[in-house]
Amino acid sequence: MSKFQITAVSIALMLVILDGFEVGIMAFAAPQIQEQMGISPDVLGYVLSASLFGMAIGSIFLTPLADRFGRRPLTLAMLVLIVAGMVLTITAPTAGMLILWRVVTGLGIGGMMANLNALVAEYSSDARRTTAIAIYAAGYPIGATIAGAIAGPLIPAFGWHAMFIAGTILAAIALLTSWALLPESLDYLLGRRPANALNRVNQILGKMHLAPLSELPDRDPTEENPAENKGTIREVLTPPTLRLTIALWVGYGLLVASYYFANTWIPTILTNVSGDPQLGITMGIGANLGGVLGCFIFAALAIRFSGRHLLFLTLFAAAGSYLLFGLIFDIVPVAIAVGFLLGVLTTGAIAGFYAVAPTVYSARSRATGIGWMIGLGRLVSVVAPIIVGYILAGGMAPERVFIAFAVPLVIAGVAALSLLMGRRNAAMAD
């Protein structure tokens, strides 16, 4: 990979770190927000889910715009939306307004994340694509870990608003950096051919130390013949891709529902059970650090093993970790260790879906396919923190909730197993 390719992937990694930070800060700010605003657990579930709902809508309806207008302009527009959402969150006087502005922030995050996933897949070398995407996926727990590390000293000293001020500053820096350094997708330029496409392609090829083109290559026949051109949406939703699309939706949706339940509720649950806010923050940081390690382990294993094989094995192991966490919940030192393992496995599995999904779709529909997988998965995940809020408000023991969430992870593992029988995209096979 050339320096230019590494820079492109690194910018995407920086942005997904920002995403992890922007979403993660709410989990750490939630106990103080609940106390200051007098929010009940069921309403707090809506607060915690608000950004997830925005992310789902952004992934479904905004990400496909990247296949039409380009990866770079959509990413910059989403960063502007994130900055606006963070600024408005700081000013929110009520829980209702807080929920609204978290939805706005989530729209920006959702519209950007799947788009970045496609960009990393396109700028990574064939031999290291799965590994590069797994490393990229580590950015989310890295960002959430940074949020936890900052929350420890910042919230007690300056209150929860300080976390969102920090997030606004980081988002603004990311916007300026992306404006200067983030390239357009080469596959987008070759496929969609916007104005001045040949010159822009040759500029990118030069930075990659590749020979320039005298003319753009011939289009795929299916793109020239409207009768044969299914379009991006039809490609995602018709055989033989449809079965793989459904498997991605089911598997990813159930995984992220379990993931976001744990990541959004663990700090609050442990704080309420123990009476020690620091224990909740420590547990949240531990789970996110485990997530970072899980992505790097997945990336290392992907050098030698198929990403699809690794994915279903990781999901079944994650189900076991949720079950174990529920059984030893009251033994705090052991629970912290298992929580770390829980983070390793669930985030490693998310990295697996990010690595496998680009192999299912062609370049022209990749952002749409990945965006819909992430968006529909997030719609499912939105429900998880809300339902858990009602369950806890009804008096159910937290450990029983963790045991129950092992079931959807088993189903996700079965869905991932079915991907092994699916066709591979010849240009993007893992």
Side-chain angles (χ1 to χ4, degrees):
M1 291 175 62
S2 66
K3 180 180 178 181
F4 175 77
Q5 289 171 279
I6 294 172
T7 298
V9 173
S10 298
I11 293 295
L13 176 62
M14 175 196 70
L15 294 178
V16 80
I17 288 174
L18 172 68
D19 289 346
F21 183 91
E22 303 290 19
V23 175
I25 54 179
M26 181 54 73
F28 296 106
Q32 191 177 93
I33 291 174
Q34 181 180 24
E35 179 183 354
Q36 291 185 0
M37 291 189 173
I39 299 173
S40 62
D42 50 340
V43 175
L44 184 62
Y46 286 98
V47 173
L48 292 170
S49 288
S51 63
L52 303 182
F53 178 75
M55 290 165 73
I57 300 304
S59 294
I60 295 171
F61 294 105
L62 299 182
T63 294
L65 297 177
D67 287 328
R68 177 182 289 267
F69 300 108
R71 314 274 192 253
R72 173 183 162 87
L74 183 71
T75 298
L76 296 177
M78 295 302 97
L79 281 167
V80 171
L81 198 58
I82 292 171
V83 172
M86 294 297 290
V87 170
L88 292 168
T89 297
I90 298 170
T91 67
T94 64
M97 295 301 293
L98 187 63
I99 290 171
L100 173 62
W101 302 134
R102 291 301 291 165
V103 170
V104 171
T105 305
L107 284 172
I109 295 172
M112 183 169 66
M113 281 192 67
N115 182 39
L116 293 174
N117 196 149
L119 192 69
V120 171
E122 292 163 1
Y123 271 111
S124 302
S125 65
D126 291 341
R128 293 291 177 263
R129 182 166 291 112
T130 298
T131 298
I133 294 174
I135 293 172
Y136 154 82
Y140 192 92
I142 289 174
T145 302
I146 293 172
I150 293 177
L154 202 62
I155 291 178
F158 303 103
W160 65 269
H161 292 88
M163 290 293 295
F164 290 91
I165 293 174
T168 302
I169 294 171
L170 292 176
I173 293 172
L175 173 60
L176 295 176
T177 303
S178 299
W179 182 274
L181 298 176
L182 185 70
E184 182 53 273
S185 160
L186 192 59
D187 285 355
Y188 166 79
L189 294 173
L190 292 171
R192 285 289 181 176
R193 306 191 177 191
N196 202 28
L198 179 60
N199 183 51
R200 295 170 70 184
V201 166
N202 284 332
Q203 288 178 351
I204 292 175
L205 292 177
K207 294 176 182 178
M208 295 171 65
H209 309 299
L210 297 175
L213 301 176
S214 58
E215 60 182 3
L216 292 173
D218 292 336
R219 288 180 180 269
D220 187 298
T222 60
E223 295 187 3
E224 291 189 350
N225 186 349
E228 298 180 15
N229 184 3
K230 292 182 176 180
T232 59
I233 295 177
R234 290 188 63 193
E235 178 183 331
V236 172
L237 297 179
T238 56
T241 310
L242 177 60
R243 186 180 63 79
L244 303 179
T245 294
I246 293 173
L248 290 173
W249 288 358
V250 172
Y252 184 78
L254 294 176
L255 168 63
V256 295
S258 303
Y259 172 85
Y260 280 111
F261 147 64
N263 273 42
T264 55
W265 273 106
I266 277 180
T268 301
I269 287 174
L270 288 185
T271 296
N272 292 340
V273 169
S274 66
D276 181 5
Q278 194 58 45
L279 177 60
I281 291 176
T282 300
M283 187 68 208
I285 293 173
N288 284 306
L289 282 174
V292 176
L293 180 61
C295 290
F296 285 119
I297 290 175
F298 195 98
L301 292 174
I303 295 175
R304 296 193 58 186
F305 303 103
S306 162
R308 299 191 186 201
H309 284 87
L310 292 172
L311 176 57
F312 83 84
L313 292 172
T314 303
L315 284 165
F316 286 129
S321 71
Y322 270 67
L323 179 62
L324 181 59
F325 189 85
L327 294 175
I328 52 85
F329 181 80
D330 293 331
I331 310 172
V332 173
V334 180
I336 291 176
V338 176
F340 180 83
L341 177 63
L342 185 151
V344 169
L345 294 169
T346 53
T347 314
I350 288 175
F353 274 106
Y354 285 178
V356 169
T359 72
V360 171
Y361 304 108
S362 68
R364 69 177 177 180
S365 65
R366 191 165 296 131
T368 299
I370 297 172
W372 282 17
M373 178 194 79
I374 293 177
L376 292 171
R378 293 279 165 72
L379 280 177
V380 176
S381 70
V382 166
V383 179
I386 295 174
I387 291 177
V388 171
Y390 281 107
I391 289 174
L392 294 176
M396 177 179 283
E399 59 269 26
R400 294 183 61 186
V401 181
F402 279 94
I403 293 173
F405 267 91
V407 175
L409 286 170
V410 170
I411 299 173
V414 173
L417 184 60
S418 72
L419 292 170
L420 286 172
M421 298 178 287
R423 67 176 180 87
R424 294 171 184 265
N425 183 290
M428 299 290 294
D430 57 354

